Amino acid sequence: MLSGHDWQTALAAVAGATALVVIIATIPEETPDHRTDEPAANGDLPVDAALEAIGEPILVVHHGRVTVANAAARQLLGSHIVGEDARVAIRHPGAAEHVADGSSFPVDLVGLGTLDQRWQMRVSQLGPDSRLVHLSNQTGQYAAERMRVDFVANASHELRTPLASILGYVETLTDEAGEDPALRQRFLGVVFDEARRMERLVEDLMSLSRIEAEKFRPPRTEVDLAAVAREVRDSLLTTHGNRGADIAMDIADDLPRVPGDQGQLSQLLYNLIGNAMKYGRHGTPVTVTLTPRADQLSVVVADEGDGIAPEHLPRLTERFYRVDAGRSRSLGGTGLGLAIVKHVVERHRGRLDIASAVGVGTRVTVTLPAIRDRDAASAAPEPLS
Ligand code: ADP
């Protein structure tokens, strides 16, 4: 039987969550048996209830057998584990050894639960023959770390490709090709295009990091999205194969303003309309519709291009994800446009939906919270530059 002090040690061993400290403080120093479902007479929490309430798996192993398993542990390892040999219950060779040794350093486990899960196990000594086993789910941190590593690798690769091309052409220009005016002109054109590609990439990377840095600071200035949309349309008129004439705008008269960051919303529209122009067929319409919807405003950008197969749709907003990398690059794409759109929408507490049908076209809808009439007086208008 573990004493109140042992239980306090046990719970204190479970990674120092603040909530836990509060629970420990309410556990009596010495009671005959904490492991009861009844609340303690003095109103304190019984230890089992406290363990049960902890969201991460916790086991107590006594003489090599599992004597206590909280709800999270039973869910991960099975409801039958209480009473089982710890090696059978945990079913992981490295973990079983660790529990038997009672070594206190944390160990990372792969293969517990589902295949993609990563767990960290800590073992603490409760008494000569008792151990407390705490499993903490590291899957989220692991995935975030993987994404960060992949992102750095992808960004480096995307920058190195045009850089290698620039270096190659400059080297050739300093040799014999520099003598031939026509060849020199052509090579300088390539160098310029590749340098522009690097510039676009660096600009998009900087935008992404700026938007991410402001993620938890909702924008508060009052933005006239209709005016921003017209400005973006004007700036795109002669781009993407001169498709300006294909852009059709349908903007409701009674459009409310939105609390927003004008630069970021302009970038969102620029990327969406730009994509519709790039990936849509020449001569087919690119429609931009702005409509009020209750307390919201919806922006729809639709094209009649080749469309996107359904299996790609969930991944389009990942950084550097492209359906056809060659086509994207030849059209000047960085692979970051929709990732930027997603982050801008998140910062504005909005919603992004991408619907597409192969051979029919693509329709992207962004819904943003609007400023209601009664809010308007308190929001500061932002002048259009
Ligand atoms: P990119 O710079 O490559 O255009 P985005 O992040 O803007 O990068 O888009 C990611 C990918 O999604 C594109 O490479 C393209 O394959 C696809 N895509 C985006 N918009 C459209 C569209 N309107 N029609 C068809 N495919 C699209």
Coordinates of all heavy atoms in Angstrom, one line a residue, residues 204 271-272 274-280 301-303 305-308 312 315-325 327-329 331-341 354 356 361-364, ligand 1:
D204 N 7.8 35.9 -50.8 CA 6.8 35.1 -50.2 C 7.2 34.5 -48.9 O 6.4 34.4 -48.0 CB 6.4 34.0 -51.2 CG 5.4 34.4 -52.3 OD1 5.0 35.6 -52.2 OD2 5.0 33.6 -53.2
N271 N -3.1 36.6 -54.8 CA -2.8 35.2 -55.0 C -4.0 34.4 -55.6 O -3.8 33.6 -56.5 CB -2.4 34.6 -53.7 CG -1.0 35.1 -53.2 OD1 -0.3 35.8 -53.9 ND2 -0.6 34.8 -52.0
L272 N -5.2 34.6 -55.1 CA -6.3 33.9 -55.6 C -6.7 34.2 -57.0 O -6.9 33.4 -57.9 CB -7.5 34.1 -54.7 CG -7.5 33.5 -53.3 CD1 -8.8 33.7 -52.5 CD2 -7.1 32.0 -53.3
G274 N -4.7 35.8 -59.1 CA -3.5 35.4 -59.9 C -3.5 33.9 -60.3 O -3.3 33.5 -61.5
N275 N -3.9 33.0 -59.3 CA -4.0 31.6 -59.6 C -5.0 31.3 -60.6 O -4.8 30.5 -61.6 CB -4.3 30.8 -58.3 CG -3.0 30.5 -57.5 OD1 -1.9 30.8 -58.0 ND2 -3.2 30.0 -56.3
A276 N -6.2 31.9 -60.5 CA -7.3 31.7 -61.4 C -6.9 32.1 -62.8 O -7.2 31.5 -63.8 CB -8.6 32.5 -61.0
M277 N -6.1 33.2 -62.9 CA -5.6 33.6 -64.3 C -4.6 32.7 -64.8 O -4.6 32.3 -66.0 CB -5.0 35.0 -64.2 CG -6.0 36.1 -63.8 SD -5.2 37.7 -63.4 CE -4.8 38.3 -65.0
K278 N -3.7 32.2 -63.9 CA -2.6 31.3 -64.3 C -3.1 30.0 -64.8 O -2.6 29.4 -65.8 CB -1.6 31.1 -63.1 CG -0.6 32.1 -62.9 CD 0.5 31.7 -61.9 CE 0.0 31.3 -60.6 NZ 1.0 31.2 -59.5
Y279 N -3.9 29.4 -63.9 CA -4.3 28.0 -64.2 C -5.7 27.9 -64.9 O -6.1 26.8 -65.3 CB -4.4 27.2 -62.8 CG -3.1 27.2 -62.1 CD1 -2.9 27.9 -60.9 CD2 -2.0 26.5 -62.6 CE1 -1.7 27.9 -60.3 CE2 -0.8 26.5 -62.0 CZ -0.6 27.2 -60.8 OH 0.6 27.2 -60.1
G280 N -6.3 29.0 -65.2 CA -7.5 29.0 -66.0 C -7.2 29.1 -67.5 O -6.0 29.4 -67.8
V301 N -13.6 33.4 -55.8 CA -12.8 33.5 -57.0 C -13.0 32.2 -57.8 O -12.6 31.2 -57.3 CB -11.3 33.8 -56.7 CG1 -10.5 34.0 -58.0 CG2 -11.2 35.1 -55.9
A302 N -13.5 32.3 -59.0 CA -13.8 31.1 -59.8 C -13.2 31.2 -61.2 O -13.1 32.3 -61.8 CB -15.3 30.9 -59.9
D303 N -12.7 30.0 -61.6 CA -12.1 30.0 -63.0 C -12.7 28.8 -63.7 O -13.3 27.9 -63.1 CB -10.6 30.0 -63.0 CG -10.0 28.7 -62.3 OD1 -10.2 27.6 -62.9 OD2 -9.4 28.8 -61.3
G305 N -10.7 26.6 -65.6 CA -9.5 26.0 -66.0 C -9.5 24.5 -65.9 O -10.6 23.9 -65.9
D306 N -8.4 23.8 -65.9 CA -8.3 22.4 -65.9 C -8.8 21.7 -64.6 O -9.1 20.5 -64.5 CB -6.9 21.9 -66.1 CG -6.4 22.3 -67.5 OD1 -7.2 22.6 -68.3 OD2 -5.2 22.4 -67.7
G307 N -8.9 22.5 -63.5 CA -9.4 22.0 -62.2 C -8.3 21.2 -61.6 O -7.2 21.0 -62.1
I308 N -8.7 20.7 -60.4 CA -7.7 20.0 -59.5 C -8.3 18.6 -59.1 O -9.5 18.6 -58.6 CB -7.3 20.8 -58.3 CG1 -6.8 22.2 -58.7 CG2 -6.3 20.1 -57.4 CD1 -7.0 23.2 -57.6
H312 N -5.7 16.0 -54.4 CA -4.7 17.1 -54.1 C -5.3 18.1 -53.2 O -4.6 18.9 -52.6 CB -4.3 17.7 -55.4 CG -3.5 16.8 -56.3 ND1 -2.2 16.4 -56.0 CD2 -3.8 16.3 -57.5 CE1 -1.8 15.6 -57.0 NE2 -2.8 15.5 -57.9
R315 N -4.2 19.0 -49.6 CA -2.7 19.4 -49.4 C -2.4 20.7 -50.1 O -1.2 21.2 -49.9 CB -1.8 18.3 -50.0 CG -2.1 17.0 -49.3 CD -1.0 16.0 -49.5 NE 0.3 16.5 -49.1 CZ 1.5 16.0 -49.3 NH1 1.5 14.8 -50.0 NH2 2.6 16.5 -48.9
L316 N -3.3 21.4 -50.8 CA -2.9 22.6 -51.6 C -2.4 23.7 -50.7 O -1.6 24.5 -51.2 CB -4.2 23.1 -52.3 CG -4.7 22.2 -53.5 CD1 -5.9 22.9 -54.1 CD2 -3.6 22.0 -54.5
T317 N -2.8 23.8 -49.4 CA -2.3 24.9 -48.6 C -1.0 24.6 -47.9 O -0.5 25.4 -47.2 CB -3.4 25.4 -47.6 OG1 -3.7 24.2 -46.8 CG2 -4.6 25.9 -48.3
E318 N -0.4 23.4 -48.2 CA 0.9 23.1 -47.6 C 1.9 23.9 -48.3 O 1.8 24.1 -49.6 CB 1.2 21.6 -47.8 CG 0.5 20.7 -46.8 CD 0.8 19.3 -47.1 OE1 1.9 18.9 -47.7 OE2 -0.1 18.5 -46.8
R319 N 3.0 24.4 -47.6 CA 4.0 25.1 -48.3 C 4.7 24.3 -49.3 O 5.1 23.1 -49.1 CB 5.1 25.5 -47.2 CG 4.6 26.5 -46.3 CD 5.3 26.3 -45.0 NE 4.5 27.0 -44.0 CZ 5.1 27.8 -43.0 NH1 6.4 27.9 -42.9 NH2 4.3 28.4 -42.1
F320 N 4.9 24.8 -50.5 CA 5.6 24.2 -51.6 C 4.8 23.0 -52.2 O 5.4 22.3 -53.0 CB 7.0 23.8 -51.3 CG 7.9 24.9 -50.9 CD1 8.5 25.0 -49.6 CD2 8.1 26.0 -51.8 CE1 9.2 26.0 -49.2 CE2 8.9 27.0 -51.4 CZ 9.5 27.1 -50.1
Y321 N 3.6 22.8 -51.9 CA 2.8 21.7 -52.5 C 2.3 22.2 -53.8 O 1.6 23.2 -53.9 CB 1.7 21.2 -51.6 CG 1.0 20.0 -52.2 CD1 1.6 18.7 -51.9 CD2 -0.1 20.0 -53.0 CE1 1.0 17.6 -52.4 CE2 -0.6 18.9 -53.6 CZ -0.1 17.7 -53.3 OH -0.6 16.5 -53.9
R322 N 2.6 21.5 -54.9 CA 2.1 21.8 -56.2 C 1.5 20.6 -56.9 O 2.1 19.5 -56.7 CB 3.2 22.4 -57.1 CG 3.7 23.7 -56.7 CD 5.2 23.7 -57.0 NE 5.7 25.0 -57.2 CZ 7.0 25.3 -56.7 NH1 7.7 24.5 -56.1 NH2 7.4 26.5 -56.9
V323 N 0.5 20.7 -57.7 CA -0.1 19.6 -58.4 C 0.9 19.2 -59.5 O 1.2 18.1 -59.7 CB -1.5 19.9 -58.9 CG1 -2.0 18.8 -59.8 CG2 -2.4 20.3 -57.8
D324 N 1.3 20.2 -60.2 CA 2.3 20.0 -61.3 C 3.4 21.1 -61.1 O 3.3 22.2 -61.5 CB 1.5 20.2 -62.6 CG 2.4 20.1 -63.9 OD1 3.6 20.1 -63.7 OD2 1.9 19.9 -65.0
A325 N 4.5 20.6 -60.6 CA 5.6 21.5 -60.2 C 6.2 22.2 -61.4 O 6.4 23.4 -61.4 CB 6.7 20.8 -59.5
R327 N 4.7 23.0 -64.3 CA 3.8 24.0 -64.8 C 3.8 25.2 -63.9 O 3.8 26.4 -64.3 CB 2.3 23.4 -64.8 CG 1.4 24.3 -65.4 CD 0.1 23.7 -65.8 NE -0.8 24.7 -66.4 CZ -2.1 24.6 -66.2 NH1 -2.7 23.7 -65.5 NH2 -2.9 25.6 -66.7
S328 N 3.7 25.0 -62.5 CA 3.8 26.1 -61.6 C 5.0 26.9 -61.8 O 4.9 28.2 -61.9 CB 3.7 25.5 -60.1 OG 4.3 26.5 -59.2
R329 N 6.2 26.3 -61.9 CA 7.4 27.1 -62.0 C 7.4 27.8 -63.3 O 7.8 29.0 -63.4 CB 8.6 26.1 -62.0 CG 8.9 25.6 -60.6 CD 10.3 25.2 -60.4 NE 10.4 24.6 -59.0 CZ 10.2 23.3 -58.7 NH1 10.0 22.5 -59.7 NH2 10.3 22.9 -57.5
L331 N 5.0 29.1 -64.8 CA 4.1 30.2 -64.8 C 4.5 31.2 -63.7 O 3.8 32.1 -63.3 CB 2.7 29.7 -64.4 CG 2.0 28.8 -65.5 CD1 0.8 28.1 -65.0 CD2 1.7 29.6 -66.7
G332 N 5.7 31.0 -63.1 CA 6.2 31.9 -62.1 C 5.8 31.7 -60.7 O 5.9 32.5 -59.8
G333 N 5.2 30.5 -60.5 CA 4.7 30.2 -59.1 C 5.8 29.8 -58.2 O 6.8 29.3 -58.5
T334 N 5.6 30.1 -56.9 CA 6.5 29.8 -55.8 C 6.1 28.6 -55.0 O 6.9 28.0 -54.3 CB 6.7 31.0 -54.8 OG1 5.4 31.2 -54.2 CG2 7.2 32.2 -55.5
G335 N 4.8 28.2 -55.2 CA 4.3 27.1 -54.4 C 3.9 27.6 -53.0 O 3.6 26.7 -52.1
L336 N 3.9 28.9 -52.7 CA 3.6 29.4 -51.4 C 2.3 30.2 -51.4 O 1.8 30.6 -50.3 CB 4.7 30.3 -50.9 CG 6.1 29.5 -50.6 CD1 7.2 30.5 -50.3 CD2 5.9 28.6 -49.5
G337 N 1.7 30.5 -52.5 CA 0.5 31.3 -52.6 C -0.6 30.9 -51.8 O -1.1 31.7 -51.0
L338 N -1.0 29.7 -51.8 CA -2.2 29.2 -51.0 C -1.8 29.1 -49.6 O -2.7 29.2 -48.7 CB -2.8 27.9 -51.6 CG -3.5 28.1 -53.0 CD1 -4.0 26.8 -53.5 CD2 -4.7 29.1 -52.8
A339 N -0.6 28.8 -49.3 CA -0.1 28.7 -47.8 C -0.3 30.1 -47.2 O -0.8 30.3 -46.1 CB 1.3 28.3 -47.7
I340 N 0.1 31.2 -48.0 CA -0.1 32.5 -47.5 C -1.6 32.8 -47.3 O -2.0 33.4 -46.3 CB 0.6 33.5 -48.5 CG1 2.1 33.4 -48.5 CG2 0.2 35.0 -48.2 CD1 2.9 34.2 -49.5
V341 N -2.4 32.4 -48.3 CA -3.9 32.7 -48.2 C -4.4 32.0 -47.0 O -5.1 32.7 -46.2 CB -4.6 32.1 -49.5 CG1 -6.1 32.0 -49.3 CG2 -4.2 32.9 -50.7
I354 N -11.9 25.3 -50.8 CA -11.5 25.1 -52.2 C -12.3 24.0 -52.8 O -12.2 22.9 -52.3 CB -10.0 24.9 -52.3 CG1 -9.1 25.9 -51.6 CG2 -9.5 24.8 -53.8 CD1 -7.6 25.7 -51.5
S356 N -13.2 22.0 -56.5 CA -12.7 22.0 -57.9 C -13.1 20.7 -58.6 O -13.4 19.7 -57.9 CB -11.1 22.0 -57.9 OG -10.6 22.2 -59.2
G361 N -13.2 23.4 -63.6 CA -12.7 24.7 -63.0 C -12.6 24.6 -61.5 O -12.9 23.6 -60.9
T362 N -12.1 25.7 -61.0 CA -11.9 25.8 -59.5 C -12.6 27.0 -59.0 O -12.7 28.0 -59.6 CB -10.3 25.9 -59.3 OG1 -9.7 24.8 -59.9 CG2 -10.0 26.0 -57.8
R363 N -13.1 26.8 -57.7 CA -13.8 27.9 -57.1 C -13.3 28.0 -55.6 O -13.4 27.0 -54.8 CB -15.3 27.5 -57.1 CG -16.2 28.4 -56.5 CD -17.6 27.7 -56.5 NE -18.6 28.5 -55.8 CZ -19.3 29.4 -56.3 NH1 -19.3 29.7 -57.6 NH2 -20.1 30.1 -55.5
V364 N -12.7 29.1 -55.3 CA -12.2 29.3 -53.9 C -13.0 30.3 -53.2 O -13.3 31.4 -53.7 CB -10.7 29.8 -54.0 CG1 -10.1 29.9 -52.6 CG2 -9.8 28.9 -54.8
Ligands
ADP1 P1 1.9 28.3 -57.0 O1 2.8 29.4 -56.8 O2 2.5 27.0 -57.5 O3 0.7 28.7 -57.9 P2 0.0 28.0 -54.8 O4 0.2 27.7 -53.4 O5 -0.7 29.3 -55.2 O6 1.3 27.9 -55.6 O7 -0.9 26.8 -55.4 C1 -0.5 25.5 -55.1 C2 -0.9 24.6 -56.3 O8 -2.3 24.5 -56.4 C3 -0.5 25.1 -57.7 O9 0.9 24.8 -58.0 C4 -1.5 24.5 -58.6 O10 -1.0 23.2 -58.9 C5 -2.7 24.4 -57.7 N1 -3.7 25.5 -58.0 C6 -3.9 26.6 -57.3 N2 -4.9 27.3 -57.8 C7 -5.4 26.7 -58.8 C8 -6.4 26.9 -59.8 N3 -7.2 28.0 -59.7 N4 -6.6 26.0 -60.7 C9 -5.9 24.9 -60.8 N5 -4.9 24.6 -59.9 C10 -4.6 25.5 -59.0

